[in-house]
Amino acid sequence: MKFLKIAALATLGVTLGVLTCPNPAQAKSYMISGHPVHDYALNDFQYYKVKRATPLRFLYSNNTTKKRIVPKGTIIIGHKYPGSSVEKPSIAIYLSQLDYNFLNKGRPKHLELLSISDAIGSSRPQDYQRIARPAYLPAMSLGDLRQTQFNTNPTYGTKTYSQLRLTSNGLAEFSRFKNPNDINAAQRPQFRQKIEKATNKGNTRQLYFAKKIPGLGMKKVKQTGKLKYRLTIVNQHQPFQNHDPEDESDLGFYSRYTVGGKTFVTQIG
């Protein structure tokens, strides 16, 4: 099964998350799977906090739309553009990594959320304040970590046993799959908890929760309060390249993490 791909923001001429570099000679290189990879081939996200409640319009599979309000203080992934003599300043917003409940609240029954129409751009970039990457989000990642077995034999494909989504607005959504060959990454998560606190030091980040998420390897560190359970996520610093054996053009770069003692991967390019 293919991992999540970053959608092209066609009207802005930019692919969000994968920034092009006009001068390859100035780009940094990393060794991944024994080959040098320029940093412009990897994800480069920017993070913003919503300064005031912001209306957006969601598009559904029957071509109807519905206005939603992004609350003040929400953290989103996006990219600001200064504008030009013919274009106003704008911000491209990538909202799909917000939590499941927000994206699906008020969704008409039996209709799929096709896209978020204002994800292409907002005419009020001043409503979004640039911030550093939140401590709970891995570098160069949308926050999707999966317990996955890659296969080079197209007969078997990729198997995904569980998925942890660390949403941009600070929730952990976790699901385990009975059939690892057939999962829907957009399905309702089996468990979800708010991340009450996050620290990031060296290659280790610690996430704290008020309640335990079953099957995620959390450790109880307090008897009461909002910081009772801790999840340890360690960057193994072992990036690798993989591709779909049925699609030679489907190349992807991934990074390995230890999540609660188990190995997960996340796409970084």
Side-chain angles (χ1 to χ4, degrees), residues 153-193:
N153 187 333
T155 303
Y156 299 103
T158 300
K159 295 181 179 180
T160 299
Y161 299 93
S162 61
Q163 173 179 267
L164 172 64
R165 293 184 69 246
L166 302 174
T167 71
S168 63
N169 58 330
L171 283 91
E173 300 181 332
F174 182 63
S175 296
R176 291 175 291 187
F177 307 108
K178 292 182 178 180
N179 183 356
N181 294 308
D182 184 22
I183 72 167
N184 177 4
Q187 73 183 44
R188 180 189 297 273
Q190 296 168 358
F191 307 98
R192 64 190 303 270
Q193 291 293 334

Side-chain angles (χ1 to χ4, degrees), residues 102-266:
F102 174 81
L103 292 176
N104 290 277
K105 183 179 180 180
R107 177 171 59 88
K109 292 183 178 180
H110 312 302
L111 291 182
E112 181 183 357
L113 176 61
L114 290 182
S115 67
I116 301 167
S117 61
D118 283 8
I120 295 298
S122 170
S123 60
R124 293 186 59 85
Q126 66 271 25
D127 289 347
Y128 300 84
Q129 177 185 357
R130 178 77 182 271
I131 62 172
R133 173 169 49 87
Y136 48 82
L137 289 178
M140 296 186 287
S141 167
L142 282 172
D144 291 316
L145 297 108
R146 297 183 177 184
Q147 190 180 13
T148 297
Q149 176 185 342
F150 289 99
N151 292 288
T152 57
N153 187 333
T155 303
Y156 299 103
T158 300
K159 295 181 179 180
T160 299
Y161 299 93
S162 61
Q163 173 179 267
L164 172 64
R165 293 184 69 246
L166 302 174
T167 71
S168 63
N169 58 330
L171 283 91
E173 300 181 332
F174 182 63
S175 296
R176 291 175 291 187
F177 307 108
K178 292 182 178 180
N179 183 356
N181 294 308
D182 184 22
I183 72 167
N184 177 4
Q187 73 183 44
R188 180 189 297 273
Q190 296 168 358
F191 307 98
R192 64 190 303 270
Q193 291 293 334
K194 178 183 177 182
I195 301 171
E196 301 290 348
K197 179 183 176 181
T199 63
N200 184 18
K201 186 176 181 180
N203 63 341
T204 301
R205 53 181 34 84
Q206 308 276 14
L207 308 186
Y208 294 85
F209 302 84
K211 295 182 179 180
K212 185 177 182 179
I213 297 179
L216 202 50
M218 291 181 171
K219 182 178 180 180
K220 189 173 184 179
V221 293
K222 290 188 177 182
Q223 296 301 318
T224 59
K226 293 184 177 182
L227 309 181
K228 288 177 60 177
Y229 294 94
R230 182 177 67 204
L231 177 65
T232 300
I233 301 177
V234 180
N235 188 347
Q236 298 182 17
H237 293 294
Q238 296 176 350
F240 64 97
Q241 184 177 19
N242 193 76
H243 70 276
D244 186 337
E246 297 179 341
D247 182 1
E248 289 296 328
S249 66
D250 182 29
L251 298 176
F253 299 99
Y254 301 88
S255 186
R256 293 182 177 90
Y257 282 80
T258 301
V259 180
K262 299 178 180 179
T263 299
F264 282 63
V265 299
T266 187

